[in-house]
Amino acid sequence: MNRLSRSLAVFALASLALSGITAQAKEKKPKHKKNQDLSANPLANVNSKQPDKELFDKAMVALKKGRYDVARLDLQTMLNTYPDSEYRMRAKLAVGDSWFKEGGTAALTQAESEYKDFITFFPNAPEAAEAQMKVGDIYYQQMEKPDRDFNNAQDAEKEYRTMINMFPDSPLIPRAKQKLRDVQEVLAERETQIGLYYGARDNFSASIARLQTVVDTYPLYSKSDQALLAIGDAYAGEARAVQIAPNINGAVRERLHTIYQDKAAAAYARVITRYPMAPHVEDARDRLVAMNRPVPEPTDAAIAENDAELKSERPIRFTDNVLGIIKHGPTVVEAAHVGEPSVEDAKRTLAPDVSKENVALFTEAVNAGKPATPAAVKPTGPNEPPRSDQPSAAPQLAAPAGGTGLGVTIVNAPNGDASAAPSGNEAPPPAAGPSADPNALVKPVGPANTTLPAIDKPAEAPDQVNDIKPGTTQQQTAADAKKKKPKANLDEESSSKKKKKKGLGKLNPF
């Protein structure tokens, strides 16, 4: 009995000691610096009870659970009630995130507006780059296939370029560049398909315009070698068209054929020098050999660059083709993952520009070998000094007597008219006196008789047949006045088809 009581007493003491240690641990407070008000800093690692933080935390919980309308209501309440809160910037961005996660065309449009407002109010905040990135993601999610509407792809390219140019130091730059490569892959695929379509129908100007835009604007396109090869084929097609044209001179035909052949060879050579590891390099080599043109050799740097681009591309698998049929978006697995995408808007090549270039080439071929046309001499003005290339307007003196041997001497007058002066066989004109001008004309220019002929009187017009001559009047004879006009027979003007009866016939009803 004593042992049992002793054991119970020991157990009781141990329980009391354990409970005391637990109470002391609960009452122990975290250490903090002297005169530090922990409740004034809601971002500290304490259980703050400030109302703005309570609203923000409540909105974040609702956002994670997918209750976007509740989250937006709490965030708007916090922004309107506490405009100076430390959570104001994050709350403004969270409102856009709620619309972005909700999805749908209307919600994404509202999200874009919220993100643009955030960039306007907080342009220097680190989250501004995130907001601009999400604006590009909005259009990226709505992109269609290359053969569909491309407006969303163009808007996505514009927004990603803006993000890269505005926030070059952001950690989101690598992701934005990759998204830009994907978007440019879709746009380049669209332009290439259109260019190949025109080329298959021998519309070479339109084909060259589309494909040249792809080559100049999207150098990282996975099928750039095919686009360059198609450009060369288009110029070769124009050379063949010139050869069979019936209305072109032989020399002009040869010049044009040589010009288009040179352009085709330049396109084939660029395939070899820029994309030496691409699948269509051998085709470009074969075409240059067939044209008897030299085949260039690519540099080591070009080989390494193109090899890195091809290795970064992922091959298309069977699942990608199946999903590409089902989903509405494009397949961008072939986009390159290395290299700097184009961040500047390049000038597009238009079909009218290519047509104007063809006209200029034709004109150059026609005028080749011909002497240059002299430039038109610009006449001098009334107040300008005379130039050496202009004829003198002053009258010239007559040549000495007997100079021409034709009996007359030609004198140039200021107005360009030529008059005859007496030769040495005729008597000289009388002297005009000591004050006469020695440079005056020998014979006045113009007709001697300046009297105008008399004005001829116009012939008189013949008399009108129906006019009444003056002095005559129309006289109405008495016989004509007594004549009366015959009365109209109204019986014949009946609307009835039956003829009206006369006399006793009216009494017979039949």
Side-chain angles (χ1 to χ4, degrees):
M1 189 69 183
N2 293 332
R3 291 181 179 179
L4 180 62
S5 60
R6 192 179 301 156
S7 300
L8 292 174
V10 173
F11 180 76
L13 291 174
S15 301
L16 291 174
L18 184 60
S19 61
I21 293 173
T22 305
Q24 290 179 0
K26 291 182 178 180
E27 293 177 358
K28 188 177 181 180
K29 297 181 180 180
K31 295 181 180 180
H32 57 274
K33 295 181 181 180
K34 188 177 181 180
N35 299 330
Q36 181 181 5
D37 188 5
L38 298 179
S39 62
N41 185 10
L43 300 179
N45 190 15
V46 296
N47 294 327
S48 176
K49 299 297 182 181
Q50 292 189 3
D52 56 344
K53 185 178 185 302
E54 290 291 330
L55 286 172
F56 183 78
D57 293 340
K58 182 181 176 182
M60 291 298 101
V61 173
L63 188 62
K64 290 180 179 180
K65 293 183 178 181
R67 295 182 294 176
Y68 304 114
D69 51 349
V70 176
R72 284 193 293 270
L73 182 61
D74 294 336
L75 292 171
Q76 291 294 345
T77 302
M78 195 209 78
L79 291 173
N80 296 333
T81 308
Y82 306 99
D84 298 330
S85 174
E86 297 184 39
Y87 295 93
R88 178 170 176 265
M89 183 175 63
R90 295 299 305 175
K92 185 71 175 175
L93 186 62
V95 172
D97 293 340
S98 66
W99 288 111
F100 182 79
K101 292 181 178 180
E102 183 175 348
T105 304
L108 291 177
T109 303
Q110 190 66 29
E112 180 186 1
S113 177
E114 293 292 339
Y115 289 139
K116 291 292 182 66
D117 291 344
F118 180 85
I119 296 172
T120 303
F121 291 128
F122 308 100
N124 298 324
E127 291 80 1
E130 179 184 354
Q132 182 62 39
M133 184 71 188
K134 289 184 177 179
V135 172
D137 292 340
I138 289 173
Y139 292 107
Y140 186 87
Q141 292 181 0
Q142 301 178 79
M143 280 197 312
E144 298 288 343
K145 291 182 175 62
D147 57 344
R148 303 295 179 182
D149 185 15
F150 65 101
N151 288 326
N152 289 326
Q154 283 186 333
D155 293 337
E157 181 188 23
K158 177 183 176 182
E159 297 299 338
Y160 286 134
R161 284 178 173 177
T162 302
M163 191 267 174
I164 294 173
N165 293 329
M166 288 182 60
F167 310 99
D169 300 330
S170 174
L172 298 174
I173 289 295
R175 180 173 175 268
K177 287 184 177 181
Q178 185 54 44
K179 292 286 188 179
L180 183 57
R181 295 188 196 100
D182 296 343
V183 174
Q184 290 180 352
E185 180 77 12
V186 177
L187 294 174
E189 179 67 20
R190 173 183 177 272
E191 296 288 337
T192 303
Q193 289 181 4
I194 298 175
L196 295 177
Y197 173 84
Y198 284 130
R201 282 149 184 81
D202 295 340
N203 191 347
F204 300 121
S205 298
S207 178
I208 292 172
R210 295 285 183 168
L211 297 172
Q212 192 67 41
T213 301
V214 173
V215 172
D216 295 339
T217 311
Y218 311 112
L220 297 179
Y221 175 47
S222 61
K223 299 177 183 177
S224 296
D225 57 329
Q226 183 180 0
L228 280 171
L229 195 70
I231 291 175
D233 293 342
Y235 280 120
E238 289 190 343
R240 290 191 299 270
V242 168
Q243 285 282 44
I244 63 176
N247 299 327
I248 301 179
N249 189 14
V252 177
R253 179 184 293 108
E254 291 300 326
R255 296 190 192 102
L256 286 176
H257 182 266
T258 304
I259 292 173
Y260 288 128
Q261 287 283 72
D262 292 341
K263 288 181 174 293
Y268 296 145
R270 189 176 178 186
V271 176
I272 301 174
T273 56
R274 175 60 181 88
Y275 306 98
M277 305 298 292
H280 294 279
V281 172
E282 294 301 326
D283 297 334
R285 292 179 185 272
D286 295 340
R287 284 169 170 78
L288 286 176
V289 171
M291 295 168 60
N292 294 326
R293 298 301 177 95
V295 179
E297 291 295 333
T299 61
D300 295 338
I303 294 175
E305 180 183 3
N306 188 235
D307 185 55
E309 293 173 358
L310 293 178
K311 288 182 178 179
S312 66
E313 300 174 1
R314 291 186 300 169
I316 296 181
R317 297 171 296 182
F318 176 76
T319 55
D320 296 329
N321 293 328
V322 174
L323 292 177
I325 298 174
I326 298 174
K327 67 177 183 179
H328 76 282
T331 301
V332 293
V333 296
E334 290 184 301
H337 289 69
V338 295
E340 293 295 328
S342 176
V343 294
E344 300 293 337
D345 294 335
K347 182 180 179 181
R348 293 181 58 89
T349 304
L350 304 178
D353 298 336
V354 179
S355 299
K356 291 179 182 178
E357 182 182 0
N358 291 334
V359 173
L361 292 176
F362 182 80
T363 305
E364 180 183 354
V366 170
N367 296 332
K370 292 184 178 180
T373 304
V377 179
K378 183 180 179 181
T380 57
N383 297 327
E384 295 181 4
R387 298 199 307 266
S388 60
D389 57 346
Q390 289 287 344
S392 177
Q396 298 181 3
L397 296 176
T404 60
L406 300 178
V408 292
T409 304
I410 304 300
V411 180
N412 294 330
N415 58 359
D417 297 334
S419 58
S423 63
N425 299 328
E426 298 179 3
S435 62
D437 189 1
N439 297 328
L441 295 177
V442 178
K443 183 179 180 180
V445 179
N449 186 10
T450 58
T451 305
L452 297 177
I455 300 175
D456 296 336
K457 184 178 180 181
E460 296 182 358
D463 296 337
Q464 296 293 333
V465 178
N466 298 328
D467 288 349
I468 301 176
K469 295 182 180 181
T472 61
T473 57
Q474 291 183 350
Q475 298 179 359
Q476 186 178 10
T477 60
D480 295 337
K482 292 181 180 180
K483 290 182 179 179
K484 295 182 180 180
K485 295 182 180 180
K487 294 183 178 181
N489 188 5
L490 299 179
D491 295 337
E492 300 296 336
E493 298 181 0
S494 175
S495 61
S496 177
K497 294 182 180 179
K498 297 181 180 180
K499 185 181 293 186
K500 287 188 176 183
K501 299 178 181 180
K502 299 179 181 180
L504 297 177
K506 294 181 179 182
L507 300 179
N508 187 4
F510 302 105

